[in-house]
Amino acid sequence: MALSFRAFLRSLAANSKALRNPTTVGSQRLTLVLGNESADLDSIVSSLTLAYVLSQKTTMAIPVINTNRSDMVLRPDSTQLLQHTLATSGTTIEEALTFIDDINLTELIAKAHPLLDVWLVDHNAPSSRQAQLEPYVTGIVDHHVDEAKCLVGCSSREQRQIESVGSCATLVAQRLRGLNVDVDSELALLLLAPILVDSSNLDPAACRATTADIECAQWLGSLVDWETNNLAGALDAKSPRELYKALDSLKGAVSHLSAFDLLRKDYKQWQVSSSVSSTSSASSASGVMWTVGISSIGFPLK
């Protein structure tokens, strides 16, 4: 019997707790579904829904949001979407979801090996900070340029799906459509949201939406009951266009953020190797590794 989406959502809290239980980890096969570190709407939704797809075959597929729990305040669009979706199953973000800072990857690998499987979604190679996961990657669903990593664990088409589409959620939707499961209104809208956001509401002028994105958006949109859907009602959205406009507005909302949050919302950090000579006042030796960070805050000119 197929697992319903609501039943899957209700199971997340127990699975999340089990993930942090040393007596559980290592005693059964564990599948983590990890989005990329940008943790945008597409990455979060894709990790959650791919975990649901995989849960039709495995008993413990757990989505992991690849950002710190406290950083969700920077993502009001994702927060709204998740809050209202989880509410339909009587749970919350705090109870149901696992964030990357909830777990210690080094300890998890030590305890779960060799029963650990990792699926990457919305990226196809672990970041440098999570490189220790590469030997455990057994599946990839992504729409970025193939970095030719993780080739040993996932070589088949089923395990390694990397296609150039506008939204990674489109690829998850395709997998979902191939299953014999009931796609309810909440699940349909959840997957539809990032497809619309990433493609600027399928606008041809944006040159982002592919035929696959359009077909999946049309299929998902036909499954949404716009009159009774929990999230659609909260956002006063009666159509895909209105849903896109509401989420796009939320994405740019910053009035709820502190000055510190404003600075870290768009913060970027990277390392560069300096070639400054020893005579420079900036460094006493050449080849120094610098950690560089930059942030910006938008301000209207009118």
Side-chain angles (χ1 to χ4, degrees):
M1 183 176 178
L3 176 70
S4 73
F5 187 55
R6 289 193 180 188
F8 166 73
L9 294 178
R10 286 193 293 269
S11 74
L12 287 178
N15 282 350
S16 181
K17 186 178 296 185
L19 183 59
R20 298 188 289 274
N21 186 339
T23 62
T24 302
V25 175
S27 64
Q28 59 182 297
R29 184 156 293 280
L30 173 64
T31 301
L32 300 184
V33 184
L34 186 67
N36 69 41
E37 287 186 309
S38 72
D40 61 5
L41 187 68
D42 190 30
S43 183
I44 291 175
V45 169
S46 294
S47 61
L48 179 62
T49 51
L50 180 60
Y52 170 62
V53 170
L54 296 175
S55 291
Q56 302 301 325
K57 297 181 180 180
T58 183
T59 56
M60 205 177 195
I62 304 176
V64 178
I65 312 304
N66 205 352
T67 191
N68 292 341
R69 183 175 290 272
S70 61
D71 287 346
M72 280 303 289
V73 70
L74 307 178
R75 298 167 174 83
D77 53 341
S78 298
T79 299
Q80 279 266 30
L81 194 68
L82 293 173
Q83 279 179 341
H84 291 286
T85 301
L86 291 168
T88 63
S89 62
T91 188
T92 65
I93 291 176
E94 290 73 19
E95 295 172 344
L97 298 184
T98 300
F99 291 82
I100 196 64
D101 60 335
D102 292 336
I103 54 179
N104 183 309
L105 289 180
T106 302
E107 291 181 2
L108 181 67
I109 290 171
K111 293 173 182 174
H113 174 78
L115 299 176
L116 176 63
D117 295 320
V118 176
W119 278 71
L120 302 181
V121 63
D122 204 23
H123 63 314
N124 58 75
S127 69
S128 59
R129 290 187 293 183
Q130 298 167 353
Q132 71 263 42
L133 291 174
E134 185 167 343
Y136 306 96
V137 175
T138 57
I140 294 172
V141 178
D142 184 38
H143 66 138
H144 298 97
V145 175
D146 192 345
E147 296 185 37
K149 299 286 185 67
C150 309
L151 297 174
V152 176
C154 46
S155 56
S156 71
R157 171 65 175 75
E158 175 66 19
Q159 293 173 298
R160 189 181 187 87
Q161 184 181 12
I162 303 176
E163 299 179 22
S164 181
V165 293
S167 172
C168 191
T170 291
L171 302 179
V172 180
Q174 289 176 335
R175 287 177 173 249
L176 180 66
R177 198 172 188 179
L179 297 177
N180 185 28
V181 297
D182 176 45
V183 180
D184 62 24
S185 180
E186 281 73 30
L187 176 54
L189 191 143
L190 182 66
L191 274 166
L192 176 62
I195 297 175
L196 296 180
V197 169
D198 283 1
S199 67
S200 299
N201 196 32
L202 307 176
D203 184 359
C207 298
R208 295 175 182 171
T210 65
T211 300
D213 296 301
I214 296 170
E215 289 178 352
C216 282
Q218 291 174 341
W219 170 61
L220 293 166
S222 70
L223 299 175
V224 176
D225 186 337
W226 296 98
E227 295 300 324
T228 63
N229 187 280
N230 193 34
L231 176 65
L235 297 178
D236 195 25
K238 303 297 183 183
S239 68
R241 177 178 173 79
E242 291 181 359
L243 173 64
Y244 166 73
K245 291 176 67 176
L247 289 172
D248 190 53
S249 177
L250 278 172
K251 186 177 180 180
V254 295
S255 61
H256 65 294
L257 299 179
S258 66
F260 174 69
D261 287 337
L262 280 171
L263 287 170
R264 70 191 185 99
K265 178 177 173 61
D266 192 43
Y267 180 72
K268 302 291 189 299
Q269 179 176 299
W270 64 98
Q271 289 188 318
V272 294
S273 179
S274 169
S275 59
V276 178
S277 68
S278 59
T279 58
S280 170
S281 60
S283 173
S284 60
S286 61
V288 173
M289 186 63 72
W290 295 86
T291 298
V292 181
I294 187 171
S295 184
S296 62
I297 299 176
F299 190 80
L301 297 178
K302 293 185 178 180

